[in-house]
Amino acid sequence: MADPIVALLGDKVQGKDGEVQVSSLRKEGVLGLYFSAHWCPPCRRFTPQLAEWYGKFKKTSNGDKFEIVFVSSDRSEEDCEGYYKDMPWLVLPFSLRAKKEELGKKYQVNGIPTLVFIDSQTGDEITTKARAIVGEDPEGTKFPWK
């Protein structure tokens, strides 16, 4: 059986310390897909809030069951890389524009910033309104938000 997360994201995403095999993200838990861009003022306001929430959540007992992948809507790879410097999570390689489009269609992303939570084993949608979770569940106590 094909790995549904690899089918969604491709074989590798980029981390702060190099490439990460997408198959390693397929474990019990939640994967966040963060659709954003540096040119978007609401995105630039939300990204620091999300980064703070992410940092706190990663320290909880469920932190190892959660990851975020930034899906850039930037206009260039340089813009994407510059914006990603402020993010503590993973990034879908900018060159995978077709994957970005597929993800946007699959999860009905109509604007940014959008944070989608999916089951990290199946790729099934948990919520396309995960931005609200950042404000409504600041400690992440309602994990896995299903």
Side-chain angles (χ1 to χ4, degrees), residues 47-61:
T47 297
Q49 296 168 1
L50 180 58
E52 181 180 351
W53 182 88
Y54 172 88
K56 288 180 189 175
F57 187 80
K58 290 295 276 182
K59 294 176 185 171
T60 71
S61 60

Side-chain angles (χ1 to χ4, degrees), residues 109-134:
V109 175
N110 296 316
I112 55 174
T114 295
L115 181 61
V116 176
F117 284 171
I118 63 174
D119 183 296
S120 59
Q121 290 183 317
T122 65
D124 292 341
E125 179 183 309
I126 295 170
T127 181
T128 58
K129 309 233 184 290
R131 276 180 64 197
I133 290 171
V134 173

Side-chain angles (χ1 to χ4, degrees), residues 15-54:
K16 294 297 184 182
D17 298 320
E19 292 181 340
V20 174
Q21 293 293 322
V22 169
S23 58
S24 71
L25 303 176
R26 189 172 187 249
K27 53 190 170 194
E28 179 187 355
V30 174
L31 183 63
L33 301 175
Y34 181 43
F35 297 84
S36 184
H38 91 284
W39 53 261
C40 163
C43 298
R44 288 196 315 267
R45 283 191 298 274
F46 181 66
T47 297
Q49 296 168 1
L50 180 58
E52 181 180 351
W53 182 88
Y54 172 88

Side-chain angles (χ1 to χ4, degrees), residues 36-102:
S36 184
H38 91 284
W39 53 261
C40 163
C43 298
R44 288 196 315 267
R45 283 191 298 274
F46 181 66
T47 297
Q49 296 168 1
L50 180 58
E52 181 180 351
W53 182 88
Y54 172 88
K56 288 180 189 175
F57 187 80
K58 290 295 276 182
K59 294 176 185 171
T60 71
S61 60
N62 288 315
D64 62 337
K65 298 177 184 172
F66 180 76
E67 192 51 77
I68 292 176
V69 175
F70 167 46
V71 182
S72 176
S73 292
D74 284 303
R75 295 180 179 122
S76 71
E77 189 163 2
E78 294 76 27
D79 288 345
C80 173
E81 289 172 1
Y83 189 38
Y84 177 62
K85 288 179 185 175
D86 297 330
M87 299 177 189
W89 43 75
L90 306 172
V91 59
L92 181 73
F94 187 82
S95 60
L96 299 179
R97 304 324 295 154
K99 285 286 181 199
K100 177 232 181 233
E101 295 300 322
E102 289 173 24

